[in-house]
Amino acid sequence: MRELQLGDIIDDYCVKCRRITNHAIVSLLDGQAAKVRCRTCYSDHDFRNEIAPPTKRELMKQKELFNAVLNGMTPGTVPAEPADAEEPKAKGKAAS
Ligand SMILES: [Zn+2]
């Protein structure tokens, strides 16, 4: 198995470019990339194993689906742009 070294170019997901790009390793931890620098926009960030974080839109969609199930509605009948004011606030249960 080849050891990673500082400056090695590896693929990772860049949140700024919003896609998998080439990254140079700028920090190593236990032989694994800890921090990388995007070769496209030169921003540093933690190495994330090429995994894209869920976007706000995806999180919203999950929430919509969740609420739709709670309300006994089928997904798709949910209005395209739900009003934020309709969010239940008095429930006291923070989504984790
Ligand atoms: Zn980038």
Side-chain angles (χ1 to χ4, degrees):
M1 200 172 93
R2 200 177 74 91
E3 295 252 316
L4 291 171
Q5 293 183 338
L6 291 181
D8 276 3
I9 305 300
I10 56 176
D11 285 346
D12 196 16
Y13 182 85
C14 175
V15 286
K16 290 205 175 170
C17 300
R18 294 187 189 170
R19 62 192 178 90
I20 302 282
T21 61
N22 285 339
H23 285 70
I25 298 173
V26 294
S27 176
L28 285 168
L29 188 70
D30 294 333
Q32 298 282 318
K35 290 216 169 199
V36 292
R37 175 173 298 155
C38 176
R39 301 280 292 164
T40 300
C41 69
Y42 296 99
S43 70
D44 291 4
H45 58 81
D46 291 338
F47 181 59
R48 49 180 84 244
N49 281 300
E50 300 181 36
I51 296 171
T55 62
K56 272 190 182 164
R57 185 177 290 259
E58 279 168 353
L59 288 175
M60 287 270 284
K61 260 219 170 100
Q62 283 173 13
K63 207 168 172 187
E64 273 176 37
L65 280 175
F66 184 69
N67 286 336
V69 171
L70 278 187
N71 295 331
M73 296 162 63
T74 49
T77 59
V78 180
E81 294 197 359
D84 286 336
E86 286 182 359
E87 285 195 9
K89 283 173 184 166
K91 289 272 169 111
K93 260 189 191 175
S96 56

